[in-house]
Amino acid sequence: MSLLIRNGEIVNAGSRMVADVYVEGETISRIGKDLEAPPGTEVIDATGKYVFPGFIDPHVHIHLPFMGTFTKDTHTTGSQAALVGGTTTYIEMMAPSRNEDLMAGYRNWTALAEGNSACDYSFHIGVTRYDDQTEAVLRELVAEGMTSFKVFLAYKGFFGVTDAELFRTLTLAKELGVTVAAHCENDELVAQLQQRLLAEGKGGPEWHEPSRPERVEADGTAHFATFVELTGAKGYVVHLSCEPALEAALAAKRRGVDLAIEVVVPHLLLDKSYAERPGFEGAKYVMSPPLRDRRNQAPLWNALAAGVIDTVATDHAPFDFKGQKEMGRGDFTKIPNGIPTIEDRVNLLYTYGVSRGRLSLERFVSAASTRAAQLFGLYPRKGVIAVGADADIVVYDPHYRGAISAETQAMNVDYSGFEGVEIDGRPSVVTVRGQVAVRDGEFVGDPGRGRLLRREPASAHEGAREAVAG
Ligand code: URP
Ligand code: ZN
Ligand code: ZN
């Protein structure tokens, strides 16, 4: 099967040009002007549209046992929603709890995804305990191509690691050349503040943010950075939400700590007033770190535009309002944390980043695709429109106008945190390794096409960033 995408503006992290893209089988085989289409080739006219590399979401939870319940998406619904929104690869945090066996957890997560994901996927290996057996399994999984770890400095007793475990995880990561992603909040401060607020009778969702204030995250970020520094490992701060945490991360980077920074769409666009909505509506907006005061958004956008923040992910964690978020009525510490976003990330970042003049097209591509590929050992197979790359392609229509609604979304969850929010564009065609998966907002692909991506250690791609700008 061959595919010719004609006359679109190809946008990579370091270049833009109007040209044709020819795909043979699963791979981009030619890029140029006025390419011939042999008989049998499907031709897609991309005139007036952008041709982007498939977008990569490096932080999602599809299957997540958490806070006494499970996220609602399956790999079928989550991957199709991702594709409708232009995301062709996701990296899921597989996270068994502290008392579960890590290898059994990995087998469970891969079995759930296998044959059920419509797009390609990989896993960050959640390290929720560290002992000799864990270390042996981690070595095995890295050899299998799962070349990133994930730790939580929060959620102690469930996912959270001790400082000794953090040190050993980073030491192993340094030895193996893999990156450690971290949720950075000081868990003891969270626990103390939660108890104090509840004792004062403050149990509504609006008290979630005061229980995890900006300083708690800044402290967690500085703490993680210190451990990364003293082990010489590569760190990746997930869902950084506020200026004090950004300052902590930047201070570490200035002294040479190898730290990459991720932000997520909810922190860029929503603020804590959403979690203060009356009638328990605010529960829809409870995530950790929490939605912040709006003054934090400009520093995040500026750092993103400057390339100081590396990636924009979602932290997709879909819990229904009915029956799940409701578990925390009267006690915000029992509201399952998370805001579903896997479907909307690209359109929201395009609209409120590129279309509103905050981000160049190239930075948009870098932050939503290329940088994640580089940091997590997928580049140049993913994250770039280039000869030899996988033909994961998004033909994007910047003239489309619409609004987000739970009524029409593909995500398997009963609300949208972005209900009614307008978008200035959407993918008109999305391909997964050369096969069309989405046309004009509808999934039309093979529900089981996705493959588990085995990745290189990021250290194998040290030079990759220099190969492309942005
Ligand atoms: O609120 C969030 N972030 N839920 C998902 C779990 C996590 O912390 O990433
Ligand atoms: Zn987290
Ligand atoms: Zn997460």
Side-chain angles (χ1 to χ4, degrees):
M1 176 66 193
S2 52
L3 201 64
L4 180 65
I5 300 173
R6 201 166 249 168
N7 206 31
E9 182 169 358
I10 301 167
V11 185
N12 277 319
S15 65
R16 286 167 67 170
M17 67 167 171
V18 175
D20 303 342
V21 180
Y22 188 70
V23 174
E24 275 171 288
E26 301 195 346
T27 312
I28 296 172
S29 63
R30 276 183 293 155
I31 297 172
K33 300 269 187 199
D34 304 320
L35 297 181
E36 293 289 315
T41 302
E42 178 177 349
V43 179
I44 294 168
D45 182 9
T47 306
K49 296 178 178 164
Y50 295 119
V51 177
F52 294 131
F55 292 99
I56 300 171
D57 192 338
H59 181 173
V60 309
H61 305 277
I62 305 287
H63 170 69
L64 182 69
F66 188 43
M67 300 183 73
T69 187
F70 293 86
T71 38
K72 278 296 301 295
D73 268 318
T74 60
H75 289 83
T76 305
T77 60
S79 65
Q80 293 183 17
L83 282 166
V84 166
T87 292
T88 55
T89 299
Y90 58 86
I91 310 183
E92 181 177 358
M93 311 273 175
M94 56 84 50
S97 69
R98 262 183 99 71
N99 48 21
E100 273 180 272
D101 176 72
L102 183 57
M103 186 54 93
Y106 177 69
R107 297 285 173 234
N108 180 27
W109 256 266
T110 48
L112 287 169
E114 198 178 350
N116 294 318
S117 182
C119 63
D120 288 351
Y121 57 94
S122 194
F123 292 100
H124 300 296
I125 302 302
V127 183
T128 52
R129 180 183 75 209
Y130 197 106
D131 51 25
D132 291 346
Q133 195 204 343
T134 308
E135 181 175 319
V137 173
L138 288 173
R139 287 180 186 281
E140 234 181 287
L141 293 178
V142 170
E144 275 200 31
M146 297 306 116
T147 54
S148 48
F149 302 156
K150 167 74 188 289
V151 292
F152 293 88
L153 274 54
Y155 314 130
K156 220 158 257 179
F158 191 62
F159 290 146
V161 288
T162 65
D163 279 354
E165 290 170 324
L166 176 62
F167 189 83
R168 290 188 71 189
T169 305
L170 286 161
T171 302
L172 181 69
K174 164 72 179 164
E175 181 197 324
L176 301 177
V178 309
T179 298
V180 179
H183 174 134
C184 299
E185 289 180 296
N186 181 310
D187 192 61
E188 193 52 47
L189 285 171
V190 174
Q192 295 295 337
L193 292 172
Q194 283 178 335
Q195 290 322 309
R196 191 163 82 190
L197 289 163
L198 289 176
E200 290 167 1
K202 296 170 175 166
E206 69 275 23
W207 297 105
H208 176 71
E209 200 279 340
S211 77
R212 317 172 90 98
E214 294 170 20
R215 278 288 141 211
V216 162
E217 186 186 345
D219 186 82
T221 306
H223 191 75
F224 177 62
T226 304
F227 277 61
V228 171
E229 181 174 10
L230 296 180
T231 52
K234 288 177 183 300
Y236 177 89
V237 176
V238 300
H239 51 36
L240 183 139
S241 74
C242 60
E243 193 172 20
L246 179 62
E247 279 166 4
L250 295 185
K253 280 166 80 89
R254 277 195 295 273
R255 44 178 215 271
V257 183
D258 194 344
L259 210 59
I261 306 172
E262 170 197 279
V263 289
V264 295
V265 164
H267 293 136
L268 288 173
L269 297 179
L270 306 175
D271 62 50
K272 67 177 184 175
S273 68
Y274 287 80
E276 292 164 358
R277 287 184 172 181
F280 198 63
E281 173 88 3
K284 294 177 179 173
Y285 301 94
V286 165
M287 67 172 294
S288 296
L291 298 180
R292 300 296 191 191
D293 188 290
R294 190 161 280 273
R295 72 174 157 68
N296 288 286
Q297 290 177 357
L300 296 187
W301 279 108
N302 292 340
L304 185 60
V308 172
I309 288 175
D310 294 81
T311 58
V312 178
T314 56
D315 194 14
H316 176 67
F319 297 103
D320 275 344
F321 180 70
K322 289 228 166 310
Q324 291 190 300
K325 293 281 186 182
E326 282 179 340
M327 288 158 52
R329 266 191 202 278
D331 180 351
F332 66 85
T333 67
K334 296 192 167 58
I335 300 170
N337 287 199
I339 301 179
T341 330
I342 199 168
E343 187 170 343
D344 303 314
R345 175 184 67 124
V346 170
N347 292 333
L348 287 169
L349 191 64
Y350 177 82
T351 303
Y352 296 96
V354 178
S355 193
R356 299 294 190 273
R358 289 169 167 138
L359 290 183
S360 69
L361 275 168
E362 292 92 334
R363 267 304 297 148
F364 163 70
V365 168
S366 174
S369 178
T370 313
R371 235 5 233 141
Q374 293 168 338
L375 287 165
F376 294 113
L378 291 169
Y379 188 86
R381 181 175 165 195
K382 307 283 190 192
V384 62
I385 300 281
V387 171
D390 281 358
D392 297 343
I393 299 171
V394 176
V395 178
Y396 198 82
D397 180 2
H399 306 292
Y400 173 85
R401 294 292 176 270
I404 292 170
S405 172
E407 296 262 297
T408 50
Q409 71 191 5
M411 297 181 291
N412 183 36
V413 62
D414 69 358
Y415 78 100
S416 169
F418 296 91
E419 189 67 42
V421 172
E422 291 180 355
I423 50 169
D424 283 1
R426 76 167 182 191
S428 47
V429 174
V430 179
T431 67
V432 177
R433 282 179 284 102
Q435 196 179 91
V436 174
V438 172
R439 290 187 205 273
D440 298 324
E442 291 296 321
F443 176 75
V444 295
D446 169 358
R449 183 162 178 78
R451 280 197 204 127
L452 173 62
L453 298 170
R454 297 175 202 286
R455 296 174 285 123
E456 301 273 350
S459 57
H461 286 280
E462 220 77 277
R465 185 154 200 198
E466 283 65 53
V468 290

